[in-house]
Amino acid sequence: MGRMGQIAQTGQVQGAVARDGTRLPEDPMWPATPGRRVVFLVDASSGLEARLIEDWIARTRPEGAASDSILIPASRRRRRRNPIDTRLEDCVATEDETLLAPVRVAWLAPQRGGVRSAGISDLFTLGDPRDPGRLRQSFILRRNPDRCRIVAGDPAPVSELRARWRSAGGAESGETTGLAVFVCRQATLALERAERRLRGARYKVPRFVHEDILALPSFRGGMAHLARELGRQPAHVSRDAARYLREIAATHSTYVIDLAAHLIRWLYTRGYREQINYDGDELRGIYALAQRHPVVFLPSHKSNLDHLVLQYVLHENGHPPNHTAGGINMNFFPIGPLVRRSGTFFIRRTFRDNPVYKFVLSNYIDYLIGKRFSLEWYIEGGRSRSGKLLPPRFGLLASVVDSYRRAKSDDVYLIPVSIAYDQISDVGDYVAEQRGGKKQTESFRWFVGIVRRMKRRYGEIHIRFGEPISLRKSLGPPPPEAEPNPDESSLDLQKLAFEVAVRINRSTPITPNSLATLALLEVGDRALSVREVRESLDPFIDYVRRRGLPTTFPLEQLGSSQGITAVLDTLVEGGVVECFAEGPEAVYAIRTEQHLAAAYYRNSILHFFLDATIGELALLRAAENDVAHPEVEFWDEAMRLRDLLKFDFFFSEKDEFKGQLRREIAMQDPEWEKRLTSSREDIQALIRSLRPFAAHRMIRPFLEAYRVVADALEQSDPAVPVGKAAFVNECLALGKQYRLQRRIQSSESVSQVLFATAYRLAGNRGLLDEQRPDLAAARSQFADEIRQVIRRIDVIDALAAARRAGLFD
């Protein structure tokens, strides 16, 4: 026998007719009740709904069956709070074997394009089509009776509901105060599940979140413990907790979910092609996974559209809306209320010193994991201003891992997601911020600016899903009786976060624009013809083909002049590149002051060429005259470069990294390790054979930014503390000077983002500790290390120029 709150029964088509003669399709069957009295819990928002339900009871009652009906507080149209019928209180207090069966009328949305959903027009006309008022109910029943359905949730005996109530923290045996309220909630949940069979899984949303969490014995006990620890009145702590939960929790509305999908489509299609590119098989696999376990979507964050387009794709493929973490700065009218009702929950930027808030947020995450709702947030924390993936933030991931360790679910799956764009509208803001400008504060005016920027075409949007990560496989089964401890410093947690980032990078597709900007940035301010761009990209196209790297386009597109011209013209339209076509052939160059914008697109694919870059530089070091053991020095230099670049790029564990580097160079020359131990001339010949040369194109801007920071530190008084904000501004000025003096080659090296990362690296090396006795010497040593790497990058640059000139093959 089914149980209230579990799977609903929808019955068969009965061809029923209401009192007014209207035919009602698809009646549910009478509950299977051998020898039991049935009490129907009627969830009706109007007299019409109550009459329709009574008609259904009358025409489906088996001969001799005993039944009764009790109205419960309506789950829709709850503008007036109706008291609970005393007959229900008497029933749950005195009876055991009576079967309680919830029933309601469901109003379906009209069909639009073969799909039942609310439309934008409903926003300006009669409101939510699934929650019509009394007059609209009568109108629908007469004109569109197929939109009116009787829905019955699976029944449960009073004895079972009473036992469930007590296990959830209700009163002890003999006391039933509050049981009727619990039964009404269970009836509503059963009906929600039943109605979802009609509406589809995309409308799976939680009900009674606040009531459920605040009533949990573990939550009440935790509040009491916190009150004792803080020396506060329990009632005051509980009041704050309830307020924080209202501030945090999403409040889903199926009506707003549909409206949001229409608004998202309207917004993104203003600037992008309508068809978003993704793999439907990947989505179907994730959907099947989410039926068994909670899943956490962890997308990259390139644009303000990221969450919106992912939400739209999931909605269009029948997925329920994710519970998406958003910064409280996004909770402004009217965007905040809209996105909260479509799945976003808001959290404060900082709350380390607020234990009550931390406790409430942790319990909210526990609730979502335990109820198997999908979550989503950006593992980077904020949008990438440089185009490459940012270091992961551990806070929310620590909370999910903590929920898993305390057995809120037998497993949780992390879903890495890469969201890539041919071009993005935000890139102008990112350039301004990298040059020292302030981030624009989120507001309605800010949102209007986003909409206005969608006036021109930006190409296509591409969503790729990485291989899911099982917490059970990664961390082992939950330990018995684990205490709450969301530890952000846990090494296991950090490895997990970095593995997510690696899988996001691995699934990020290469776009035509990323390769075109790679070619143009190599020559700085100089212009290239289409033929020269093609010659520059040929070895990279071959490399991408050999490695089988993901792309958004057929590689043949960049093998023709027409294909390259089309790509360059889109960059011209985007204001990143300029074209001079008045001579014998058209030439293209990065526009003045747009090198950081071009670098944004190039940087999105640098990780694919990082092993090749490190291999080149380590081989150069191994071939230098002062090296006695080239094979040892090669690996030492590779590990030094890995450490030097660790705050800008993601690297595998050391042994795995070495294996990747071996395979990378073996793809060029299977006998490379033997040549490394042969002679210096053999190593130099090996270097000349590498295709393509990558170091000068890939990491020069980063190393030149490091050089600016290293020089600034070397010139600073070791006894004076180095504050980040003032120091980064000083580096911006020094970087502009170096660029004017041509002491650095890359305009994109002058970047607040890159200087901030170099500052972090300096701190990691102990170069910001004014108490260190050898600080001046250490800073000089760091600056010299950077200069030596740049010198080797210059050698690679010269070798690339020699190859272009035909001096060697």
Side-chain angles (χ1 to χ4, degrees):
M1 180 181 296
R3 293 294 181 255
M4 187 184 302
Q6 297 178 359
I7 299 175
Q9 64 184 173
T10 55
Q12 304 296 322
V13 176
Q14 302 295 313
V17 179
R19 289 175 182 173
D20 63 358
T22 303
R23 184 168 295 277
L24 302 177
E26 298 189 23
D27 274 349
M29 303 294 290
W30 183 274
T33 58
R36 283 184 172 179
R37 173 172 171 262
V38 179
V39 173
F40 289 101
L41 303 182
V42 179
D43 178 0
S45 67
S46 67
L48 174 60
E49 289 188 351
R51 289 194 300 273
L52 291 173
I53 291 171
E54 289 300 329
D55 285 347
W56 169 78
I57 292 173
R59 68 176 174 268
T60 59
R61 179 190 290 114
E63 185 175 352
S67 70
D68 199 357
S69 300
I70 297 177
L71 281 171
I72 63 175
S75 58
R76 297 195 310 271
R77 301 264 147 192
R78 293 183 296 173
R79 292 162 182 79
R80 292 180 298 174
R81 293 288 182 178
N82 299 322
I84 293 178
D85 195 317
T86 55
R87 291 185 299 156
L88 178 59
E89 294 178 338
D90 294 341
C91 176
V92 298
T94 61
E95 302 182 30
D96 285 325
E97 298 308 313
T98 296
L99 207 65
L100 302 183
V103 61
R104 74 157 58 135
V105 174
W107 302 94
L108 304 183
Q111 282 200 347
R112 293 179 169 95
V115 177
R116 292 191 180 274
S117 68
I120 295 292
S121 59
D122 294 309
L123 186 64
F124 304 103
T125 53
L126 300 173
D128 188 354
R130 300 187 186 90
D131 186 15
R134 290 172 175 82
L135 291 177
R136 195 179 181 192
Q137 288 176 1
S138 299
F139 178 80
I140 293 172
L141 193 60
R142 291 189 180 92
R143 298 290 298 272
N144 304 105
D146 63 307
R147 291 178 54 193
C148 177
R149 308 287 177 88
I150 302 295
V151 174
D154 278 0
V158 171
S159 57
E160 179 182 313
L161 288 167
R162 190 182 298 129
R164 196 187 305 169
W165 172 64
R166 287 179 180 142
S167 68
E172 296 298 324
S173 177
E175 177 61 51
T176 60
T177 303
L179 175 56
V181 174
F182 175 81
V183 168
C184 290
R185 288 181 187 167
Q186 291 294 296
T188 300
L189 292 173
L191 290 169
E192 288 293 315
R193 292 182 174 91
E195 194 167 338
R196 197 184 306 142
R197 295 284 297 273
L198 296 174
R199 297 181 304 190
R202 68 175 62 175
Y203 302 108
K204 177 190 174 185
V205 297
R207 295 291 302 269
F208 306 120
V209 174
H210 296 78
E211 296 89 340
D212 286 351
I213 293 177
L214 294 176
L216 287 171
S218 59
F219 186 86
R220 297 201 303 266
M223 286 291 95
H225 179 72
L226 269 177
R228 290 192 298 270
E229 277 192 345
L230 299 173
R232 297 178 58 192
Q233 291 293 326
H236 294 168
V237 174
S238 296
R239 180 194 61 202
D240 287 349
R243 176 165 56 87
Y244 292 149
L245 186 57
R246 285 193 300 272
E247 177 186 310
I248 292 170
T251 53
H252 292 79
S253 159
T254 56
Y255 176 44
V256 176
I257 289 169
D258 280 344
L259 290 181
H262 288 291
L263 289 171
I264 291 168
R265 183 180 179 279
W266 169 82
L267 177 61
Y268 86 78
T269 55
R270 284 169 58 88
Y272 292 92
R273 189 170 297 176
E274 180 178 353
Q275 180 61 47
I276 297 174
N277 297 307
Y278 59 88
D279 187 331
D281 289 338
E282 290 178 346
L283 273 179
R284 284 185 283 274
I286 293 169
Y287 183 92
L289 195 62
Q291 302 306 301
R292 304 188 302 274
H293 306 285
V295 298
V296 179
F297 290 84
L298 297 171
S300 58
H301 200 8
K302 296 288 197 300
S303 166
N304 286 304
L305 292 179
D306 291 336
H307 166 64
L308 301 180
V309 295
L310 179 58
Q311 178 180 337
Y312 180 79
V313 164
L314 294 175
H315 182 81
E316 287 297 291
N317 285 270
H319 289 242
N322 294 337
H323 287 70
T324 303
I328 198 71
N329 57 306
M330 294 297 294
N331 190 20
F332 58 86
F333 183 83
I335 302 303
L338 180 67
V339 298
R340 187 188 290 274
R341 285 170 175 78
S342 62
T344 297
F345 65 94
F346 293 104
I347 57 176
R348 299 178 181 182
R349 292 296 188 184
T350 57
F351 47 85
R352 291 183 182 277
D353 299 327
N354 190 335
V356 178
Y357 187 95
K358 288 169 64 177
F359 180 80
V360 171
L361 178 59
S362 175
N363 276 266
Y364 183 61
I365 299 297
D366 284 352
Y367 177 85
L368 297 177
I369 293 295
K371 297 291 185 181
R372 214 169 61 238
F373 289 109
S374 300
L375 281 85
E376 175 192 336
W377 70 83
Y378 301 115
I379 197 166
E380 301 169 86
R383 286 173 291 156
S384 169
R385 267 62 177 177
S386 65
K388 62 181 184 57
L389 205 62
L390 298 176
R393 302 288 183 89
F394 305 121
L396 279 175
L397 185 58
S399 295
V400 168
V401 168
D402 186 53
S403 293
Y404 165 72
R405 288 190 182 280
R406 288 182 288 110
K408 299 300 178 182
S409 178
D410 62 347
D411 201 355
V412 180
Y413 278 82
L414 309 181
I415 312 295
V417 185
S418 169
I419 305 176
Y421 304 80
D422 287 347
Q423 294 186 59
I424 64 168
S425 62
D426 314 63
V427 73
D429 294 340
Y430 299 162
V431 170
E433 289 177 39
Q434 289 192 76
R435 289 179 179 149
K438 291 185 178 180
K439 176 179 176 287
Q440 188 176 353
T441 303
E442 289 82 1
S443 64
F444 183 66
R445 181 179 180 181
W446 164 84
F447 177 74
V448 170
I450 292 176
V451 175
R452 286 177 175 169
R453 282 204 298 259
M454 289 290 159
K455 290 181 179 179
R456 74 168 190 84
R457 308 309 295 173
Y458 293 94
E460 298 184 356
I461 302 173
H462 315 272
I463 299 180
R464 301 288 188 271
F465 299 94
E467 183 183 354
I469 300 172
S470 161
L471 292 193
R472 191 175 190 89
K473 290 181 180 178
S474 300
L475 305 175
E481 300 181 2
E483 293 294 325
N485 182 30
D487 183 9
E488 295 186 32
S489 63
S490 162
L491 183 60
D492 285 342
L493 175 73
Q494 294 179 15
K495 286 182 178 180
L496 195 64
F498 275 80
E499 181 60 26
V500 171
V502 167
R503 296 192 187 194
I504 291 174
N505 270 340
R506 193 179 296 156
S507 58
T508 298
I510 296 171
T511 65
N513 288 342
S514 61
L515 288 174
T517 51
L518 175 67
L520 293 174
L521 284 168
E522 180 187 10
V523 296
D525 299 328
R526 189 163 67 85
L528 295 178
S529 67
V530 171
R531 175 184 55 79
E532 289 172 319
V533 171
R534 179 178 176 180
E535 290 174 353
S536 177
L537 289 182
D538 276 348
F540 286 92
I541 296 295
D542 180 62
Y543 181 87
V544 169
R545 184 180 290 109
R546 283 185 287 138
R547 285 273 308 273
L549 300 178
T551 65
T552 66
F553 64 100
L555 292 177
E556 294 75 18
Q557 178 180 342
L558 294 186
S560 69
S561 297
Q562 285 184 335
I564 291 175
T565 300
V567 172
L568 292 172
D569 286 343
T570 64
L571 290 169
V572 171
E573 182 184 353
V576 177
V577 170
E578 59 185 352
C579 173
F580 179 80
E582 298 177 15
E585 60 179 342
V587 292
Y588 296 83
I590 305 296
R591 289 178 66 94
T592 304
E593 301 297 319
Q594 290 299 313
H595 289 78
L596 284 170
Y600 185 92
Y601 300 114
R602 176 203 60 194
N603 290 350
S604 66
I605 63 170
L606 293 186
H607 55 278
F608 288 123
F609 305 96
L610 195 56
D611 289 343
T613 292
I614 289 178
E616 290 172 5
L617 296 176
L619 285 171
L620 272 178
R621 172 57 187 149
E624 290 177 355
N625 292 329
D626 62 335
V627 174
H629 302 286
E631 69 281 6
V632 174
E633 188 61 27
F634 171 86
W635 291 113
D636 288 347
E637 180 67 12
M639 299 310 292
R640 283 193 292 268
L641 289 167
R642 179 181 181 274
D643 184 72
L644 185 65
L645 297 167
K646 65 185 178 183
F647 290 114
D648 263 311
F649 300 97
F650 298 98
F651 293 98
S652 305
E653 293 294 315
K654 291 182 179 179
D655 289 343
E656 186 178 350
F657 167 73
K658 289 181 177 180
Q660 290 172 349
L661 197 51
R662 281 192 175 94
R663 291 189 293 273
E664 175 67 36
I665 305 178
M667 190 172 67
Q668 305 268 4
D669 185 343
E671 302 296 319
W672 75 273
E673 288 189 87
K674 291 182 179 179
R675 299 179 68 177
L676 192 61
T677 59
S678 177
S679 67
R680 187 165 288 105
E681 289 73 19
D682 271 355
I683 300 173
Q684 292 170 347
L686 172 60
I687 294 168
R688 289 194 297 271
S689 70
L690 299 177
R691 291 181 64 88
F693 290 124
H696 61 301
R697 304 192 193 211
M698 305 299 170
I699 65 169
R700 179 189 288 280
F702 299 89
L703 269 296
E704 289 187 338
Y706 292 5
R707 178 191 171 182
V708 172
V709 169
D711 286 358
L713 284 174
E714 190 177 27
Q715 296 162 16
S716 300
D717 185 346
V720 177
V722 181
K724 180 179 177 180
F727 180 73
V728 168
N729 285 333
E730 177 186 334
C731 289
L732 282 170
L734 182 61
K736 291 175 184 176
Q737 174 191 316
Y738 276 15
R739 182 68 186 115
L740 290 170
Q741 294 174 308
R742 297 298 188 264
R743 295 175 67 177
I744 58 176
Q745 293 188 26
S746 304
S747 297
E748 62 269 29
S749 298
V750 186
S751 161
Q752 188 178 57
V753 172
L754 298 188
F755 293 149
T757 303
Y759 177 89
R760 185 182 175 199
L761 174 63
N764 180 258
R765 296 284 187 96
L767 303 178
L768 306 178
D769 181 8
E770 63 270 15
Q771 303 300 320
R772 180 175 175 175
D774 65 337
L775 183 57
R779 288 177 174 177
S780 294
Q781 183 179 358
F782 177 64
D784 185 64
E785 178 185 356
I786 300 298
R787 294 185 193 110
Q788 291 302 318
V789 176
I790 292 175
R791 178 181 60 79
R792 295 186 190 105
I793 291 174
D794 289 338
V795 174
I796 294 294
D797 198 350
L799 288 171
R803 175 176 285 161
R804 287 195 301 271
L807 299 182
F808 67 88
D809 182 31

